[in-house]
Amino acid sequence: EAVKAEVGADSVPSKVCSSGLHKRTRRIKPGALYPACTIGWHPVLVDGTKEGHRPVTLWAGDGLRVVELGSGISAAFSARLLADFGADVVKVEPVFGDETRRSGPFPGDEPDPEKSGLFLYLNYSKRAITLDLETPSGAAALARLLKDADILIENLGVGRLLALPLPEGAISERLIVCSISPYGQDGPKSGYLGSEIGAYASGGMMFITGEAEREPLKQALNQAGHHAGVNAASAILAASFLQRRFGRG
């Protein structure tokens, strides 16, 4: 069920994405949280109870509450891995939609932002909301989400998070903030723009593929983005243990 949130009036109506197994779509009122995908919980993580099915969680109590901010693969995959283990993930989409909505594969090779196989894969088990974070009301809505969150995962780009018009104190000392970027948050290359093939090559993975006397080869698809998501999820889990012990992010 969609969960109502107190958000700004600039949030945009959107449809729940569908798949070949789920044909229905629903119009979403502005300011409503909705399931990012209708696929639902991964079957391996479902436990039968008298009340129905519930997700199996690795964490005691309410589990981890995660806000995902950005677009593309790295942040989304990191958050999805946490959602697989029972974390409550809220995905904040930009007003123009996540970029993976425009990536295939699509059923029948017909592009449809509601049926992108990549988007569905990255975003099941999440709730989502569309916000314009450049506006005061959109930033205020994000601040309300962060108030009760344990973790923020973002790949907006170096410096973009701090440049948002967030109210003072929106990013608390307790919040774990995981920022993903091609070349880190500081250092001589931090301001460089990145790409999948650039990250794949500079990360060293391309060195081990191909023939010795030929140019390096890149493996298919988005290996660098997914690797970044795995590394981010691992770092978040380590940080969450310290957070629960010492109360700091």
Side-chain angles (χ1 to χ4, degrees), residues 158-191:
V158 177
R160 288 285 305 282
L161 177 63
L162 297 179
L164 295 177
L166 291 170
E168 185 176 356
I171 300 178
S172 67
E173 291 186 356
R174 183 184 172 278
L175 184 69
I176 295 171
V177 179
C178 179
S179 296
I180 306 172
S181 60
Y183 300 104
Q185 297 295 299
D186 50 34
K189 295 184 179 181
S190 60

Side-chain angles (χ1 to χ4, degrees), residues 16-103:
V16 176
C17 63
S18 60
S19 69
L21 298 178
H22 299 79
K23 298 296 184 181
R24 293 187 304 166
T25 58
R26 290 179 290 171
R27 294 298 297 177
I28 302 299
K29 296 179 180 179
L33 288 173
Y34 61 93
C37 292
T38 57
I39 288 179
W41 293 101
H42 194 288
V44 175
L45 299 174
V46 170
D47 177 33
T49 66
K50 292 182 179 179
E51 294 76 20
H53 294 292
R54 62 180 177 82
V56 177
T57 178
L58 295 182
W59 297 282
D62 295 331
L64 292 177
R65 292 160 293 191
V66 180
V67 174
E68 174 201 324
L69 191 59
S71 190
I73 292 175
S74 58
F77 190 54
S78 176
R80 202 217 79 178
L81 291 174
L82 298 178
D84 280 346
F85 291 111
D88 181 8
V89 178
V90 174
K91 179 183 183 71
V92 178
E93 280 199 66
V95 293
F96 47 82
D98 193 292
E99 65 184 64
T100 58
R101 287 184 179 273
R102 297 179 285 279
S103 299

